Amino acid sequence: MSTLLSPAFYSTFQDSEADMSTRSLEDVPEEGPPTPSGSPSGFRPTNGSRKGSPSIRTLGQGRSTSDSSSSIRRSPSVSSSTSTSTIAPGAGAVVATKEKAPRTLHKVRSSPKVVHDNEVEAAPSTMLYWSKALVFGVIPTRTMRAHTVTLVDTTAWLFGGCDDKECSKDIFCFDTETMQWCRPETIGDSPPPSRAHTATLVDRKIVVYGGGQGSTYYDSVYVLDTVTRRWSRPSVAGPKPPPRRAHTGVLYHGKIYMFGGGNGMTALNDVWTLDVSNMSKMRWEELQTSGRKPGHRGYHTANLIGNVMIVVGGSDGKDCFNDIWCLNLDTLRWSKLIVDTPHRRLSHTSTQVGSYLFIIGGHDGTRYRPDLLLFNLVSLAFEPRGTLGKSPTARGYHVTLLADSRLFLFGGFNGTTPFDEVHILDLAAAAYLPQVTHFDIQLPD
């Protein structure tokens, strides 16, 4: 069967094809690979299942607006009657259906910057503004693809990545207020050069797992203390997961939940936890989940929304996926979301901004993409959203983070050129996006 991935995808890294499985389509999920022209099978809410409109509570205007004394209360529009309930991270409330008994509501609260007393009905601006940052200092040139970024206070810590020939073991810091790059000196037992690893912030320490370079795949855990700038390689109890890269990790209740990736021979869809509640006594555990599982994949994204891990896209080395999966981390049950206009993506980024996932760039199985996709976590639908300014060119393998109502994009790769630039998406003109403070979500049984 012909592959969906273009030669440019496989030439991204010399060993990219080895990252994922070469399984036939008969070995992927029962309904076959997702297709861009139709919705994959899975949970689809019943038409008219809402009782009233979901509510959204926000904290008024952003830093570029003139009136910060009011907050906004609105009902999001639902683009399709079939994409109504399941999970709603970021903002809004999904209430129980009339046909079924009420399900458990999961509440999530963000950290508000400002508190306002009164609420008003408003329709905030939807325009977002792109700009290219004017940066200073020691720029990490030609190593900014398949790297990681972790925000500590106002400083972004970037580790690893690669250029056309080799990977890096360097740490760079970027101040999101001054736009200043620096290369801090570190001590201790540092990781080897790596790409496609995970870096998870636990208190003020960054836990790095997996990754690799060339045909080498890692299974070690390293910890960087951002205060002392000391690397350590702790011993970890329990059965060790297979080496991997292109996986994801999210922190929930003192454990890092790792999902998927590739080990050089096959793509993976297993779930492991690394208990980091006591950093001196870490422990691995493989989880047994229920429900129909996502297909094997790597180069997907995972976001933690309340107690739910949302997995978007990815690839098994043969097919580029357009599906969206949710794992309830309390019940360990998988659910599949259905959207009317799915988008194939791998090596993209997904950043939670209020009640939305901002999905930027990546590869769609044919070419690298320059677009910004907004997935509404209340209506469970992709929404068109206009942007101003000069947006980043098509790329994948970049990283993004949210800081002070701005979304920062670092580096990436377009099949030919690795980038060392920083782009900023200013959200202040759509201030309600990053400032949603309360919402309820509901998953299918």
Side-chain angles (χ1 to χ4, degrees), residues 119-133:
E119 292 185 338
V120 297
E121 295 292 337
S125 169
T126 60
M127 299 307 293
L128 308 166
Y129 190 87
W130 278 110
S131 62
K132 187 174 180 179

Side-chain angles (χ1 to χ4, degrees), residues 84-329:
T84 49
S85 63
T86 305
I87 175 170
V94 179
V95 295
T97 65
K98 294 182 179 180
E99 295 81 7
K100 297 182 179 180
R103 304 184 180 95
T104 302
L105 293 177
H106 309 273
K107 296 184 178 181
V108 181
R109 297 182 185 276
S110 65
S111 299
K113 298 179 182 178
V114 185
V115 177
H116 303 286
D117 296 327
N118 61 317
E119 292 185 338
V120 297
E121 295 292 337
S125 169
T126 60
M127 299 307 293
L128 308 166
Y129 190 87
W130 278 110
S131 62
K132 187 174 180 179
L134 177 61
V135 301
F136 307 91
V138 182
I139 301 174
T141 57
R142 298 183 64 79
T143 60
M144 292 175 61
R145 61 167 174 157
H147 50 306
T148 54
V149 63
T150 310
L151 184 66
V152 183
D153 297 327
T154 62
T155 300
W157 292 69
L158 286 85
F159 169 67
C162 58
D163 58 16
D164 293 331
K165 297 180 180 179
E166 58 185 3
C167 293
S168 170
K169 59 179 294 183
D170 294 332
I171 281 280
F172 287 89
C173 287
F174 180 81
D175 191 305
T176 58
E177 292 185 344
T178 65
M179 308 297 163
Q180 181 82 26
W181 281 107
C182 69
R183 185 177 177 180
E185 295 292 332
T186 61
I187 59 176
D189 190 0
S190 62
S194 180
R195 67 171 178 86
H197 46 276
T198 53
T200 308
L201 184 65
V202 181
D203 295 327
R204 303 182 72 83
K205 298 179 179 180
I206 300 173
V207 179
V208 174
Y209 167 70
Q213 68 170 334
S215 60
T216 303
Y217 290 71
Y218 304 147
D219 61 2
S220 300
V221 175
Y222 290 84
V223 178
L224 175 64
D225 188 319
T226 61
V227 177
T228 64
R229 298 183 179 180
R230 176 181 289 275
W231 282 105
S232 61
R233 186 179 179 181
S235 59
V236 184
K240 184 181 291 188
R244 68 190 64 207
R245 59 178 177 240
H247 54 290
T248 53
V250 300
L251 178 66
Y252 179 67
H253 284 184
K255 295 181 179 181
I256 301 175
Y257 287 73
M258 308 282 189
F259 170 69
N263 63 11
M265 296 177 289
T266 183
L268 305 167
N269 70 342
D270 51 351
V271 180
W272 291 76
T273 59
L274 177 63
D275 192 330
V276 292
S277 56
N278 185 337
M279 297 289 278
S280 63
K281 296 181 179 179
M282 295 186 184
R283 172 174 288 275
W284 282 112
E285 180 184 2
E286 183 175 10
L287 300 183
Q288 301 302 317
T289 60
S290 62
R292 185 158 157 266
K293 300 179 181 179
H296 301 68
R297 68 193 61 207
Y299 293 111
H300 52 284
T301 56
N303 294 84
L304 179 67
I305 311 296
N307 62 344
V308 177
M309 180 176 72
I310 303 181
V311 174
V312 177
S315 171
D316 63 359
K318 188 172 185 176
D319 298 297
C320 181
F321 300 131
N322 65 358
D323 47 1
I324 300 177
W325 293 82
C326 299
L327 178 63
N328 185 313
L329 300 185

Side-chain angles (χ1 to χ4, degrees), residues 48-54 95-98:
S49 61
R50 289 185 184 273
K51 182 180 179 181
S53 300
V95 295
T97 65
K98 294 182 179 180

